[in-house]
């Protein structure tokens, strides 16, 4: 009978501790280099989403006004849950509602879906913006934006600027024209950020 010799299997070798620590160090350095740009990208995307949300609400209001043949308003939310009066901070959220009597006010809408004491329907309520972001508006739209049955926004043309308080990203904005058209703001249209 012959003797069987064992030879070590060289294909089953692992990492040494030094190789493992070197790999972990390289990954950590790469994460530290990428983290700031990822943070700015996340803030930029949040600002663009907020911009789209406000623009969509204004479009809903204008479309509803034309389709129903009656005025529709968009107002910033106040502390009581209705429209802020006489003007408000759009960062607290906003509301879209039917406004055929042109009061520009809608109080206590959460309970019934109607403006208190009227038959004016609440079409949409948007919650406050995330901490770290703010919506600035000029005096033309600080109280409301009202669209007439023709889609026009007589006397309520104005500008919105959406800012990240960290200043890490460029602000974006909207311009509401007297014709009711809502467009993206150019650099010269933007209001100063806090």
């Amino acid at each position: 009978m012959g003797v069987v010799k064992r030879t070590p299997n060289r294909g089953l070798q692992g990492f040494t501790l030094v190789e493992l620590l070197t790999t972990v160090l390289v990954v950590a350095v790469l994460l530290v280099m990428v983290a700031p740009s990822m943070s700015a990208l996340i803030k930029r995307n949040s600002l663009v989403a907020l911009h789209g949300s406000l623009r969509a609400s204004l479009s809903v209001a204008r479309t509803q006004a034309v389709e129903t043949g009656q005025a529709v308003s968009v107002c910033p939310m106040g502390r009581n849950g209705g429209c802020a009066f006489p003007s408000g901070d759009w960062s607290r959220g906003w509301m879209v509602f039917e406004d055929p009597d042109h009061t520009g006010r809608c109080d206590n809408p959460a309970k019934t879906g109607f403006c208190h004491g009227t038959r004016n329907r609440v079409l949409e309520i948007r919650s406050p913006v995330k901490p770290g972001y703010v919506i600035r508006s000029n005096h033309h739209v600080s109280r409301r934006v009202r669209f007439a049955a023709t889609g026009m926004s007589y006397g309520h043309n104005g500008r919105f600027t959406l800012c990240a308080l960290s200043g890490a990203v460029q602000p974006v904005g909207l311009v509401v024209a007297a014709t009711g058209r809502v467009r993206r703001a150019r650099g010269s249209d933007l209001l100063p950020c806090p």
Side-chain angles (χ1 to χ4, degrees):
M1 245 189 209
V3 178
V4 178
K5 284 187 169 182
R6 291 190 172 237
T7 57
N9 188 351
R10 302 230 182 241
L12 297 176
Q13 295 177 353
F15 291 108
T16 66
L17 183 59
V18 172
E19 291 171 331
L20 182 61
L21 289 175
T22 303
T23 303
V24 169
L25 180 65
V26 169
V27 169
V29 168
L30 289 175
L31 285 175
V32 167
M33 291 172 50
V34 171
S37 60
M38 286 302 292
S39 175
L41 180 64
I42 290 169
K43 286 180 182 177
R44 177 71 181 164
N45 286 344
S46 294
L47 202 58
V48 169
L50 180 59
H51 178 270
S53 179
L54 180 57
R55 186 173 191 161
S57 292
L58 293 169
S59 294
V60 163
R62 185 178 189 208
T63 300
Q64 187 71 17
V66 171
E67 286 179 357
T68 61
Q70 63 183 359
V72 175
S73 291
V74 184
C75 71
M77 296 288 286
R79 284 183 165 76
N80 64 353
C83 290
F85 189 79
S87 64
D89 179 5
W90 288 84
S91 302
R92 290 179 184 255
W94 57 89
M95 176 178 21
V96 180
F97 62 98
E98 294 173 343
D99 191 14
D101 51 1
H102 298 271
T103 63
R105 297 199 57 186
C106 183
D107 297 318
N108 214 8
K111 292 182 180 176
T112 62
F114 291 90
C115 299
H116 181 70
T118 71
R119 298 187 70 193
N120 301 343
R121 288 183 308 141
V122 176
L123 305 173
E124 184 179 294
I125 295 177
R126 292 292 177 140
S127 57
V129 302
K130 290 189 232 175
Y133 299 91
V134 66
I135 301 175
R136 302 275 323 269
S137 63
N138 67 353
H139 68 280
H140 295 292
V141 293
S142 64
R143 182 175 174 199
R144 71 178 170 272
V145 177
R146 181 186 301 126
F147 294 96
T150 59
M152 304 284 276
S153 179
Y154 307 111
H156 296 281
N157 56 328
R159 299 179 288 163
F160 294 96
T161 300
L162 296 81
C163 308
L165 294 176
S166 67
V169 295
Q170 292 293 320
V172 293
L174 292 169
V175 175
V176 181
T179 60
R181 179 176 175 246
V182 179
R183 69 168 173 83
R184 185 181 186 107
R186 297 182 191 96
S188 60
D189 297 326
L190 297 174
L191 301 167
C193 287

